[in-house]
C-alpha cells in the first residue's frame, strides 16, 4: 500500500482547521466548554494527519518544491497573489508543530478544567496554532506578514490571559 499523500493544493487545510476551531470557540456559548475543546483538539489532530500526508508527499521527491499560488483579488491587469509551498522542511515542521500542539491542547483540557474562561483559552490557543501553521506554509510575503501578526496577537492574548491575577 502506498503511503498517504497530500497534494499541495490541499495544504491550506492544515492551518484552516485550527482557524475554524478558533471561530467555533469565538462564537460558541460559554457553556460549550467541551465542544470548544473538542473542536480544537479534533482540528489539530486532523491537521497532524494532513501534515503527515504532506511529509510523505514531500519525501517522495525531496528535490521538488511544490507550490500552489492563487489570485486573492485582481488589480487591473495584475493580481495580488497568495500561495502555499510544500517542501520537506515545511512538511517536517508542520508535523512537529501539529504534534506538539496536539499534546499541548490535550494537556490544557486538564490544566484549564476549572478556569472560568476555558472556552476563550481554547479559542486563543487554536488561533495561535493556525497562525503558526500559516507561517510555515506561506509562499508570499503578504501571507507571511498576516500570519506573523496573528502569531503576535495570539501570543499577546495568551500571555495576558490571566490579567486579573496580581502575580
Amino acid at each position: 500500500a502506498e503511503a498517504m499523500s497530500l497534494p499541495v493544493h490541499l495544504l491550506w487545510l492544515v492551518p484552516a482547521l485550527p482557524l475554524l476551531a478558533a471561530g467555533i470557540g469565538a462564537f460558541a456559548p460559554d457553556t460549550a466548554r467541551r465542544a470548544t475543546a473538542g473542536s480544537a483538539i479534533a482540528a489539530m489532530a486532523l491537521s497532524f494527519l494532513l501534515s503527515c500526508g504532506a511529509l510523505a508527499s514531500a519525501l517522495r521527491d525531496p528535490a521538488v518544491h511544490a507550490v500552489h499560488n492563487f489570485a486573492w483579488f485582481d488589480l487591473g491587469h495584475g493580481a495580488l497573489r497568495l500561495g502555499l509551498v510544500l517542501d520537506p522542511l515545511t512538511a517536517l515542521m508542520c508535523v512537529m508543530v501539529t504534534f506538539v500542539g496536539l499534546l499541548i491542547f490535550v494537556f490544557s483540557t486538564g490544566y484549564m478544567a476549572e478556569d472560568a474562561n476555558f472556552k476563550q483559552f481554547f479559542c486563543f490557543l487554536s488561533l495561535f496554532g493556525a497562525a503558526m501553521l500559516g507561517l510555515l506554509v506561506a509562499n508570499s510575503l503578504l501571507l507571511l506578514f498576516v500570519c506573523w501578526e496573528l502569531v503576535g496577537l495570539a501570543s499577546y492574548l495568551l500571555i495576558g490571559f490571566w490579567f486579573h491575577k496580581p502575580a
Side-chain angles (χ1 to χ4, degrees), residues 45-136:
L46 285 172
S47 289
F48 172 69
L49 293 175
L50 289 170
S51 296
C52 289
L55 182 60
S57 296
L59 291 178
R60 196 164 292 120
D61 192 1
V64 174
H65 299 283
V67 174
H68 177 68
N69 291 319
F70 55 93
W72 186 28
F73 62 86
D74 294 324
L75 299 167
H77 293 290
L80 185 56
R81 301 184 69 73
L82 297 179
L84 308 170
V85 65
L86 178 60
D87 59 17
L89 181 60
T90 297
L92 183 64
M93 291 304 295
C94 282
V95 168
M96 186 174 72
V97 167
T98 55
F99 179 69
V100 172
L102 180 60
L103 294 178
I104 291 168
F105 281 36
V106 170
F107 172 79
S108 295
T109 58
Y111 187 76
M112 299 296 292
E114 302 302 320
D115 197 279
N117 294 322
F118 180 88
K119 179 191 80 88
Q120 186 180 22
F121 179 79
F122 273 91
C123 177
F124 296 161
L125 201 58
S126 293
L127 179 64
F128 182 79
M132 285 295 293
L133 291 166
L135 268 177
L136 292 174

